[in-house]
Amino acid sequence: MNRTEIIEQLKNGPMIVTFEKKDGTIRKMKCTLKSDLLTEYEKKTDRESKPNLDIVPVYDLEKESWRSFRVDSVQTITSI
């Protein structure tokens, strides 16, 4: 699954994304990009950075904050 496909699924509603973290542990994250379930991202610095297309930023519904994961670390995506 590529980045565009992952983002499209997340925009449709909450999903459980299973991925491998940098430290090698497996994480299941209940997350979404559906606009009516998001809170506004609060930028904490004025620093500008280039978008990293290897990473997908998502809203973690359990932690109620923004998180991200690497596209190549995704193992499964399932709807809730």
Side-chain angles (χ1 to χ4, degrees), residues 1 5-6 8-19 27-33 61 69 74-80:
M1 186 171 280
E5 293 168 333
I6 292 170
E8 285 305 311
Q9 283 194 15
L10 290 164
K11 284 182 177 180
N12 289 329
M15 306 293 279
I16 295 178
V17 178
T18 304
F19 62 97
R27 176 158 186 232
K28 290 185 178 186
M29 179 169 39
K30 184 179 175 182
C31 56
T32 191
L33 289 175
L61 294 165
F69 55 83
V74 174
Q75 296 178 344
T76 61
I77 297 179
T78 53
S79 60
I80 297 174

Side-chain angles (χ1 to χ4, degrees), residues 29-40:
M29 179 169 39
K30 184 179 175 182
C31 56
T32 191
L33 289 175
K34 189 170 181 174
S35 60
D36 60 338
L37 299 175
L38 305 177
T39 61
E40 191 67 33

